[in-house]
Amino acid sequence: MEGKMLCQRTGCSVKYTEDSNPPNCCVFHPGAPVFHDGLKEWSCCKAKSHDFGEFMDMKGCATGMHSQEKPQKPPAPSPNPQAPIPVAAKPLTSADTTAAASADPKLTCIRCKQGFFCSDHAAIPGVKAAPSAPAPPKPTPPPVQEVDPNVEQLCKNKACGTRFKEKDNHDKACTYHAGPPIFHDRKKGWGCCDKHAHDFDDFLKIPPCTQGRHNPIETQ
């Protein structure tokens, strides 16, 4: 593997040398990934899926030479390009403000308006403090499959993708993400380690947080 370089084109990730880089040897996605309402889509070929594993396994739609130059990130098209209709806001009168403040004291409290927990108003009937986020479930190790120990397999644990033989597999052979990928408000992260990134390439580089055995069967 010495002297080999990792192709930076999206959807490729092949290790190559300058001597093994003929034209059209690289299959990649020239477009950007688009995430909307749980749907993952490539802007270049419109291939889409709700499952993140299937989305990452989608074959590229363009060919060329492997490259060390990271692709430019064009603005991803919105799946719903309809322009929002502006609605004129009705100005509040002093009577409206006074009535709203008396009904909900959080409207005049600086801490409550900024979203922080306020011990003064959390005890008022009808005013509830924001619930704390539940602890993520403890990851369960993938099942051990009985296979030929000398057959090469591809690990399907999230963020691994290593080829291995069962004879070399053990409880610390694989580092992976045990939780699901989470996409929300243009942030991309993992539910197991609560790490997020706005850039898709940075999301793929988030270090795995779990050790275990390589697993040839894709888990949910």
Side-chain angles (χ1 to χ4, degrees), residues 17 67 81 94 190:
T17 64
S67 174
S94 58
W190 295 98

PDB file of all heavy atoms in Angstrom, residues 17 67 81 94 190:
ATOM      1  N   THR A  17      -2.009   4.665  -7.785  1.00  0.00           N
ATOM      2  CA  THR A  17      -0.714   5.293  -8.049  1.00  0.00           C
ATOM      3  C   THR A  17      -0.808   6.004  -9.391  1.00  0.00           C
ATOM      4  O   THR A  17      -1.735   5.764 -10.182  1.00  0.00           O
ATOM      5  CB  THR A  17       0.417   4.245  -8.097  1.00  0.00           C
ATOM      6  OG1 THR A  17       0.176   3.359  -9.198  1.00  0.00           O
ATOM      7  CG2 THR A  17       0.475   3.453  -6.795  1.00  0.00           C
ATOM      8  N   SER A  67      -8.158  11.556  -8.852  1.00  0.00           N
ATOM      9  CA  SER A  67      -7.623  12.900  -8.619  1.00  0.00           C
ATOM     10  C   SER A  67      -7.414  13.132  -7.131  1.00  0.00           C
ATOM     11  O   SER A  67      -8.137  12.594  -6.287  1.00  0.00           O
ATOM     12  CB  SER A  67      -8.592  13.951  -9.175  1.00  0.00           C
ATOM     13  OG  SER A  67      -8.167  15.261  -8.841  1.00  0.00           O
ATOM     14  N   PRO A  81     -38.145  23.793  -4.810  1.00  0.00           N
ATOM     15  CA  PRO A  81     -37.646  25.143  -5.079  1.00  0.00           C
ATOM     16  C   PRO A  81     -38.706  26.222  -5.047  1.00  0.00           C
ATOM     17  O   PRO A  81     -38.486  27.305  -5.545  1.00  0.00           O
ATOM     18  CB  PRO A  81     -37.077  24.990  -6.503  1.00  0.00           C
ATOM     19  CG  PRO A  81     -37.898  23.907  -7.126  1.00  0.00           C
ATOM     20  CD  PRO A  81     -38.255  22.969  -6.010  1.00  0.00           C
ATOM     21  N   SER A  94     -49.620  47.529  22.650  1.00  0.00           N
ATOM     22  CA  SER A  94     -49.197  47.420  24.054  1.00  0.00           C
ATOM     23  C   SER A  94     -50.161  46.571  24.857  1.00  0.00           C
ATOM     24  O   SER A  94     -49.771  45.854  25.780  1.00  0.00           O
ATOM     25  CB  SER A  94     -49.085  48.826  24.673  1.00  0.00           C
ATOM     26  OG  SER A  94     -50.331  49.507  24.580  1.00  0.00           O
ATOM     27  N   TRP A 190     -23.672  11.699  13.925  1.00  0.00           N
ATOM     28  CA  TRP A 190     -23.922  10.312  14.323  1.00  0.00           C
ATOM     29  C   TRP A 190     -24.628  10.310  15.670  1.00  0.00           C
ATOM     30  O   TRP A 190     -24.249  11.040  16.588  1.00  0.00           O
ATOM     31  CB  TRP A 190     -22.609   9.535  14.414  1.00  0.00           C
ATOM     32  CG  TRP A 190     -21.925   9.386  13.097  1.00  0.00           C
ATOM     33  CD1 TRP A 190     -20.906  10.139  12.605  1.00  0.00           C
ATOM     34  CD2 TRP A 190     -22.225   8.421  12.090  1.00  0.00           C
ATOM     35  NE1 TRP A 190     -20.549   9.708  11.351  1.00  0.00           N
ATOM     36  CE2 TRP A 190     -21.326   8.650  11.006  1.00  0.00           C
ATOM     37  CE3 TRP A 190     -23.152   7.381  11.983  1.00  0.00           C
ATOM     38  CZ2 TRP A 190     -21.347   7.892   9.852  1.00  0.00           C
ATOM     39  CZ3 TRP A 190     -23.156   6.614  10.820  1.00  0.00           C
ATOM     40  CH2 TRP A 190     -22.266   6.867   9.778  1.00  0.00           C
TER      41      TRP A 190
END
